[in-house]
Amino acid sequence: MSETTEDNGQPAKRGLQNRHVQLIAIGGTIGTGLFMGAGNSIHYAGPAILLVYLTIGLFMFVMMRAVGELLYADPTQHTFITFITRYIGNRTGFFARWSYWLTIVFMGMAELTAVAKYIQYWLPGMPSWLIQIIMLVVLTSVNLVAVALYGETEFWFAMIKIVAILALIVTGIIMALTGFKTPVGDVAFSNVWQHLSLFPNGVGNFINAFQMVMFAFVGMEFIGMTTAETDNPRAVLPKAINQIPWRILFFYLGALFIIMTIYPWQKIPADQSPFVMVFQLAGVKWAAALINFVVLTSAASALNSVLFSASRNFYALSFQSKSAFLKPFRKMSKTQLPTNAVLFTALMVGFSAVISVVPAVTNAFSFVTSASTDLFLMIYILILIAYMKYRKSDRYMPDGFLVIAPRVLVPLAIVFFAFIFVTLFFNPDSRVPAIGATLWLVIFGWIASRQPKTLKK
C-alpha cells in the first residue's frame, strides 16, 4: 500500500481499489428517490422529467469535473472543502467546512431514521431507536476496521441497486416486445411520447420537478472523498467522474423511460413506487418486500457514506481550527484511519435515535434536515467559485484533469444552482426549509465573518 500526506494531517492509507471506487460512484449517483419518488416526479412533469434529469445531470457533472480537477491537482486532500478555504479565504472556508459537515450529519440522521422505517416493514414491533442503534454500531464498525472494508460494503450495496434497475429495464423491454397488456393499457414505447407536452401540468410543476430531482443527486460529490484513500488516484478519479453522464443516462433516464413505457405517464400514481408496480405486473408477488429491501440497502449505503465522508471532513476540519476541543480528532489509528472523527460523527448521527422517542422534537428535526439539505446548493456554488479562483492561481495544473469549456459551463452551473435555490421559495412545501437555510447563511455567515481572514498554520 502506498501512502499520501495531507497538508495538515497524517498519512492516509490507500485501501480502496478501482472496482470499489467505480461502484461507489455508481451507488452515489443512484439514490432512494428513484425507487420511491419516481412516480411523484413523473406526476409533476410527465415525459419532460427526462429533460429535468438530463439538465441537472449535466450541471452536476460540471460540478464533479471541477471537484475532480481540484483533487487531481492535489489528491492528498481528505475533502474538497479544503479548496474553498485555500482559494476563497478562511472566513468563507469556515462557513463551508462547518456547514458541510453539519449538513452531512443531518443527512446521516435522516438516513438512519429511514433505515429503521424500512426494517420495521418486516419487524413492526421493534422500536425505531433500537434498530437505529444496532445499524449505527454495525456501520461504524465497518468504518473503523479498514477503508477496504468500507469499499467492499459499498460495492455490494451499489450492486443491489444496479441489479434492481437492470431487472426493471429488462422486464420492461420484454413486456414491450411481447405486447404485454396492463390493467391501464398496452405496454409500448409510444406511451412515452403519446400526448407529449413540455408542461403537461403547468410551468410551475415543471419547475418544482427540478427541486425534487436536484435532491436525488445530493451526495454524488462523496466520490471525491475517496481520492485520498484510493490506489493511484490520478488514474482512478478521472474514470469514476467521466462515467457519471453515462450512468445518469442509463440508470435514471433508462429506468424512467421504461416505467413510462409500461404505464402511460398520465396514469402513473404519484403516491406509489413504480418499481413495485412493475415487478407486481411481472408476477413477483413479493415485489413490495423486494423494493423495500433495495431502498433499505440504498439508505444503509448512504448512511455508510455519510460516516466515511463526514469523518474525513471532521478530521480535516480539526486541523483548520485552534480549538482545543478539536485536537484529539487529529489522530490517526494504527491502521491509519481517523478513528476519533469516525466515532464522534457516529455519536452525532446517533442523536436521531433519541429524537425518535421524543415526538415533540420530530417536526423540528424534519425542518432542520430539510433546511440543511438546501445548504448543499450553497456548497456547490462555493466549490465552483473556488475552482474559478484555482484556475487563476499559481497552483493551476494546465496538463491536469481539466473541466470542459470552463469559462462557459462553470458560470452557467453557478447560475443554475442559484436558480434552483430561488425556486424553493415559490413552492409551499420547500419554502419554510429554504427560509431556514437562508437564516443559517445569514447567522452563521456573520459568525464566519468574525474569523481571521487567513488560516494560520
Side-chain angles (χ1 to χ4, degrees):
M1 294 286 184
S2 59
E3 295 179 348
T4 184
T5 304
E6 196 211 358
D7 275 354
N8 296 312
Q10 298 176 36
K13 181 69 73 177
R14 296 196 185 279
L16 294 177
Q17 300 172 12
N18 180 56
R19 70 182 180 90
H20 292 144
V21 176
Q22 297 301 326
L23 266 291
I24 290 171
I26 294 174
T29 307
I30 307 167
T32 55
L34 176 62
F35 298 102
M36 302 303 287
N40 201 21
S41 299
I42 294 169
H43 175 74
Y44 268 98
I49 195 66
L50 300 174
L51 176 62
V52 174
Y53 270 93
L54 197 61
T55 303
I56 293 178
L58 168 65
F59 287 113
M60 286 299 290
F61 178 57
V62 172
M63 190 273 294
M64 286 303 301
R65 280 294 297 255
V67 169
E69 184 173 339
L70 288 166
L71 288 169
Y72 188 92
D74 186 359
T76 64
Q77 298 305 310
H78 279 281
T79 167
F80 62 83
I81 299 296
T82 305
F83 298 111
I84 295 176
T85 301
R86 179 184 293 176
Y87 295 112
I88 302 180
N90 183 51
R91 290 172 176 172
T92 305
F94 179 89
F95 172 84
R97 55 186 181 258
W98 279 106
S99 295
Y100 190 69
W101 180 74
L102 285 170
T103 296
I104 299 174
V105 167
F106 283 124
M107 179 180 174
M109 294 170 75
E111 295 293 353
L112 186 57
T113 303
V115 165
K117 176 183 174 183
Y118 297 136
I119 290 179
Q120 283 179 324
Y121 176 88
W122 294 290
L123 303 171
M126 193 171 184
S128 175
W129 64 266
L130 182 58
I131 297 174
Q132 291 184 47
I133 290 174
I134 293 172
M135 182 58 71
L136 188 59
V137 169
V138 170
L139 293 182
T140 301
S141 300
V142 166
N143 276 268
L144 288 175
V145 173
V147 69
L149 181 58
Y150 161 79
E152 200 65 33
T153 305
E154 283 299 287
F155 179 91
W156 291 107
F157 277 153
M159 189 66 74
I160 290 169
K161 289 188 279 189
I162 291 168
V163 169
I165 294 174
L166 288 175
L168 173 89
I169 292 173
V170 170
T171 299
I173 291 173
I174 292 174
M175 285 179 172
L177 294 178
T178 57
F180 192 93
K181 296 182 182 297
T182 73
V184 294
D186 296 339
V187 176
F189 296 120
S190 60
N191 286 338
V192 179
W193 52 81
Q194 196 169 31
H195 307 297
L196 184 63
S197 171
L198 184 59
F199 309 121
N201 297 309
V203 177
N205 280 331
F206 176 75
I207 293 175
N208 286 339
F210 276 90
Q211 302 171 15
M212 296 176 61
V213 173
M214 180 70 228
F215 295 116
F217 282 92
V218 162
M220 184 189 289
E221 73 282 356
F222 285 2
I223 183 63
M225 307 296 180
T226 63
T227 305
E229 296 170 58
T230 303
D231 286 318
N232 197 7
R234 283 184 171 164
V236 173
L237 185 66
K239 290 180 182 178
I241 291 178
N242 279 337
Q243 290 176 11
I244 286 173
W246 305 112
R247 295 185 190 114
I248 292 169
L249 283 171
F250 184 79
F251 291 108
Y252 273 115
L253 273 65
L256 291 167
F257 184 89
I258 290 299
I259 288 169
M260 289 186 286
T261 293
I262 297 170
Y263 281 94
W265 58 268
Q266 305 94 327
K267 298 180 181 180
I268 296 176
D271 58 348
Q272 293 184 37
S273 167
F275 278 77
V276 174
M277 294 163 59
V278 169
F279 288 128
Q280 284 176 338
L281 282 175
V284 181
K285 295 181 180 179
W286 38 276
L290 171 65
I291 298 305
N292 191 75
F293 173 72
V294 173
V295 294
L296 168 61
T297 58
S298 185
S301 170
L303 178 58
N304 200 30
S305 292
V306 161
L307 292 173
F308 180 91
S309 177
S311 60
R312 270 57 178 181
N313 271 283
F314 198 71
Y315 172 74
L317 194 155
S318 68
F319 286 95
Q320 299 177 347
S321 173
K322 290 187 176 182
S323 172
F325 167 75
L326 293 177
K327 285 185 179 179
F329 302 104
R330 299 178 181 179
K331 293 182 180 179
M332 280 278 194
S333 67
K334 291 181 180 179
T335 54
Q336 293 176 297
L337 292 172
T339 304
N340 290 345
V342 172
L343 289 172
F344 183 73
T345 297
L347 178 65
M348 294 295 291
V349 172
F351 272 107
S352 66
V354 178
I355 292 169
S356 68
V357 296
V358 185
V361 182
T362 303
N363 289 337
F365 170 62
S366 298
F367 164 72
V368 171
T369 304
S370 299
S372 65
T373 304
D374 295 344
L375 291 172
F376 273 100
L377 291 167
M378 298 182 190
I379 299 299
Y380 294 162
I381 290 171
L382 288 176
I383 195 63
L384 289 171
I385 293 172
Y387 168 77
M388 293 172 71
K389 289 183 174 289
Y390 153 76
R391 282 182 56 84
K392 298 176 182 178
S393 74
D394 55 3
R395 293 175 182 256
Y396 175 62
M397 184 185 291
D399 58 345
F401 178 48
L402 305 180
V403 173
I404 303 168
R407 294 181 180 179
V408 176
L409 291 180
V410 173
L412 275 178
I414 292 173
V415 171
F416 178 76
F417 291 136
F419 162 75
I420 295 291
F421 188 82
V422 170
T423 63
L424 297 173
F425 292 90
F426 296 94
N427 185 344
D429 294 332
S430 61
R431 185 178 299 134
V432 174
I435 292 172
T438 304
L439 288 174
W440 173 270
L441 172 64
V442 173
I443 296 171
F444 202 68
W446 178 81
I447 295 173
S449 70
R450 312 283 290 178
Q451 302 301 309
K453 283 186 177 182
T454 57
L455 183 66
K456 297 179 181 179
K457 299 286 186 180

